Each structure stands twice: as structure tokens, then as C-alpha cells.
Amino acid sequence: MIADPKILILEDDSTDADLLCRQLKKSGLNFTFQLVQTRIAYELALANFIPDIILSDYSMPSFDAETAFDIKQISHPQIPFIIVSGFIGEENVVELIKKGVTDYVSKNTLVSLSAKIKRALRDTEIAAEKLITDERLRAQTAELIDLNAELEERVTNRTKALVESEYRFRNMMETIPQIAWTNTMAGTVNFFNQRWYDYTGLNPETDNWDIEVFIHPDDLKDSLNKFRQIRKTNQGGEFQIRGKRADGTYRWHLLRLMPIKSIDGKMQLWVGTATDIQELRLLQQQKDDFISIASHELRTPMTSLKATLQMLDRIKNKPSAPILPALIEQANKSSEKVNALIEDLLNASKANEGQLNIQAKRMVVFNVAEECIRQYKTESLRIEVTGDRTVAVLADAARIEQVLVNFFNNAAKYAQSSDKVSVHIEKIDDSVKVSVIDHGPGIPPEKLRYLFDRYYRADSSGSRYAGLGLGLFICTEIIKKHKGQIGVNSELGNGSTFWFTLPVFSA
Ligand code: ADP
């Protein structure tokens, strides 16, 4: 409790005030006081003296306790206010206490005043302390609420950012054209994109989706070793394997493993991709085959040419030797063969770059075919031309002859059993169709669609007949340049018909 409380006494009767002070001192209360009798003095004392408690007479000639209480409530609501009065009546006391007056003491029972003052001061103190505690609590609660809200916001933002980045990552994994997956640092696969399920036909819910079911058994050991090595380096790497498709066939894939690191460089997971390189591998294979065929094809006439030249060298001083003309003819044939091969190579490379030169003029197809057959000298092949004699096209006659000669050469090489070859010309709507028909062994149906590809040779042993697998590819490019079509109809045992069409020239 406050040691020496300051008491403001509002009393118009100074005898009563003395009595009151004496009584308080008697009860052992140490206090200082100020006595006021008017409203002005009361208001000044409230502002300057700032009492700890107010003792007020109930009614004074110029003032009354109720007004005094109301004034005090405005500026100092915490100061206890006790009415000390002669007689005010029970109801008035109840009314005043209801209003907030702290207590009431009758002037006749002043002995109880000291105890009431003490209690009022203690209550005020407790109330003040409670107010401070409440205020502190309120501030702390407000701080906590703010902190909580801030934390909640941070967690929400963080979660949102994570969800978004996860969503972006998954999206990216779904949009790339490759099979993709992620490996944990321990090596287990924890995600596959849809392409994996499309390619393998596995069901994400029910099937064992381990990467090992994908890899060809012959590649498995090696690839697991490579996986391990790459994971040790923490830098990523790649290798090739055959991957099993839903239909059970295997296709070559390039497997790439890349580490994903956090901002501080810590390894987090591995991202793997498998790119289908089957076509690339086939092309590579075809290219390798082509190089070996081309070297072989060039070596044969070159060897023959070298041998002929050696023989010519031996008889150089005998210009009348009977073998001389045959040797010269042989040398010519060999060099023509080399020339033809080089010509094919050049044409194929030009065709590939779309640079085949075409000088189109009006030509009657029948005449061009007839002239081509006349110039095409071969002992073994009888060629005849039938069909439309008048239909004309806008084309490069030399290039069209090149196509026909290629068809004739192929017939001579691959349809040796055919006693004759026919060229048939027919006009169909706005096109003219030129067919070269042989009665050779025909071509297996599964090979037909590849015949016009570059480097393709149906007899892949490649050694029976000379050729680079370029002839039909060059023909295709020539016909394409003329806006025509090219194709083949063939049946095993029933010969082949190689044909092309050209738009009819109508002027
Ligand atoms: P090349 O004759 O140099 O091999 P081509 O592109 O001219 O190349 O022919 C491709 C393949 O088509 C040949 O290797 C051959 O297997 C097949 N072929 C072409 N013409 C015939 C034909 N008339 N009869 C059977 N097979 C043929």
C-alpha cells in the first residue's frame, strides 16, 4: 500500500474536517492532506495536488459529492472516492455505489474510515497493477498475434512457392519429348513422366516400374556400372542402351543423368532422360555400311584398272601385241565404272542438298524412252517400249533418261533371269505414267518401302551385285524436282515394275 497517501478532503465544515483528520491520525494512518471547500479549489487540487484518495462530504452549500465524483471521473477515474457524510439515506448510497463511488462512511462511525481508506487504496493499487499486467498482456498478445500472422504468411508463401516450383518442374518434365525421371540420392526412382508409361506400357498403379525392366538384358550390367560411376562423380554423364517398348521391341536410347543441386551446391536429386536415338543409330549404321560398300565398289574397278595397266606396261614395247585392244577396252570399262560411281556420289550429294539442276523443255516421253533404249547398249538385256506415243511433258530429258537408265541397270543387275524388259507409257488424267517392267525374282514386300532411301540395298550382303544404294534415291529426287511421283510394284517370283509419273504438258 502507498506509504503516506495524499488525501484530498472536500468538506465545507472545518470542524468536521479536523475531526476527520484526528480520527485518521489516531488510527495510526500516516498521510498528508489538502482541504478544499469549493468546486474551483477542488478542481485545482485534482490537477496539482493529485491525491491518492478523495474524502468528500455529501452535500455542501455550493457543491455536492455527486458532482465532485463526476468531475474526478473525467480526469482521474482511478482515484478512489469515499463519501463521508452525516446522513444521506440508504437509496442514495446504493445509487452512488452503483455509479462507481468507492465507499461510504457515516460521520458518526468515523472509526471505520481508516480501514476503508486502506482497503480502497489497496484495491486501487491492485487495480492499477492489474491494469499494467493487462496492458502488458495485451501488448504481448498483440505481438504474438502479429508474429503468428507473419509466420503463417511466411509458411503459406513458402508452401505456395514450393508447390509452384514443384508444379513447374513436373510440367517441364511432362513437356519435354524424352522419357524423364528423377532418382533420389540413394538411387531409387521416385518419379517418371507420362512418356515413360506411354513407351513401356506400364501401369503406374500396379506395375513394377523399376528402370531395370526397361534395359535390354545385354546392356544391363554395363549400364548399372555406368549409373554408379556417374553418381559418384556428382557431375552427370550419358551412355546408350536399348530400351524395351510396350510391344516388346527394343530401341536405342541415349540416357543422360544430371545432378540437381541446391543454391549452396548441395546434391539434391538426379534427373534422368532417355532420348530415342534408334533412327540416328540406323543412319549411323547405314553410313558405316555405305562407306565400306563405297570403298569396296571403288576398289574393284581400280584393282582391275591397275592390273590392266601393269599388263600394258609389260607390252609397251610391242605395239603389235594382239591383246592390246582388249586391254585398252578393259581399262576403259574400269575407268567408266569408277566414273559412274563418282557421278552417283556427286548426284546423291547434290540431290541431298536439293541442288539437282533441272533444265526443263517440252519433250515427247515416247521419243525420249526410245532414244534412251537405242543408246543403252547391253548384250544381255532386250528392252522395248509400248504405249502412248504422243503425250508430252515439261522435263529435263537428260535427267529423265538418267532415271530410265538407272531402272534398266537395276533390271540388268537384279533381274538377270528376265529375258526382256518393257517400258510402258500411259496417260492417266493429267499425268503420264512411265513403267519399267521386268520378270526377275521380285522384291520381298517388307523391303519395298525402303528401296528409295539413301544407301538402301535390299540384298544387304552387298557383295553379289555392284552398287552404292544411291541410284533409286537419286531417281526419287529427280522425279520430285519434276513434281512427279515414283514407286514400285513387285511380287516375289513375279518380277518388278518400277514407275514414275510426270505432269502432262498441255500448251
Ligand atoms: P544399287 O543398285 O546401287 O544397290 P539402287 O538405289 O538403284 O541402288 O537400288 C536399291 C536396291 O533396290 C538394290 O540394291 C536392289 O536390292 C533393289 N532393286 C532395284 N531394282 C530392282 C529390280 N529390278 N529387281 C530387284 N531388286 C531391285
Side-chain angles (χ1 to χ4, degrees), residues 323-487:
I323 197 171
L324 194 64
L327 285 179
I328 290 173
E329 196 190 329
Q330 178 60 40
N332 268 334
K333 268 192 185 161
S334 298
S335 80
E336 262 169 33
K337 237 178 178 175
V338 174
N339 248 342
L341 287 170
I342 290 172
E343 191 66 18
D344 265 5
L345 282 171
L346 285 175
N347 274 330
S349 130
K350 272 190 195 163
N352 200 38
E353 287 158 22
Q355 286 176 350
L356 269 183
N357 199 10
I358 302 291
Q359 284 170 346
K361 278 191 190 135
R362 182 186 177 277
M363 57 171 236
V364 174
V365 183
F366 196 94
N367 297 348
V368 173
E370 218 172 22
E371 177 61 18
C372 182
I373 293 165
R374 201 179 59 74
Q375 284 186 14
Y376 188 80
K377 295 168 279 174
T378 165
E379 308 93 50
S380 55
L381 209 63
R382 195 156 57 84
I383 312 173
E384 58 178 37
V385 55
T386 58
D388 195 316
R389 289 173 165 270
T390 56
V391 64
V393 293
L394 199 62
D396 186 326
R399 291 291 186 195
I400 298 302
E401 274 179 29
Q402 198 179 336
V403 175
L404 285 171
V405 166
N406 202 86
F407 285 0
F408 298 162
N409 278 340
N410 281 351
K413 275 195 288 186
Y414 306 112
Q416 281 177 0
S417 54
S418 189
D419 56 340
K420 71 164 187 182
V421 167
S422 337
V423 180
H424 185 66
I425 296 159
E426 59 185 319
K427 183 173 171 293
I428 305 170
D429 300 329
D430 291 339
S431 294
V432 53
K433 183 172 184 179
V434 182
S435 309
V436 176
I437 307 145
D438 70 48
H439 304 283
I443 302 158
E446 72 277 7
K447 297 192 170 170
L448 285 177
R449 53 192 277 247
Y450 302 111
L451 289 189
F452 299 88
D453 289 352
R454 200 155 47 131
Y455 310 141
Y456 186 82
R457 310 202 67 220
D459 181 5
S460 52
S461 63
S463 52
R464 202 138 66 102
Y465 308 113
L468 295 173
L470 288 175
L472 290 179
F473 168 71
I474 297 169
C475 293
T476 307
E477 296 305 309
I478 290 174
I479 297 302
K480 262 202 244 163
K481 278 256 171 186
H482 284 86
K483 299 194 171 33
Q485 288 181 331
I486 191 164

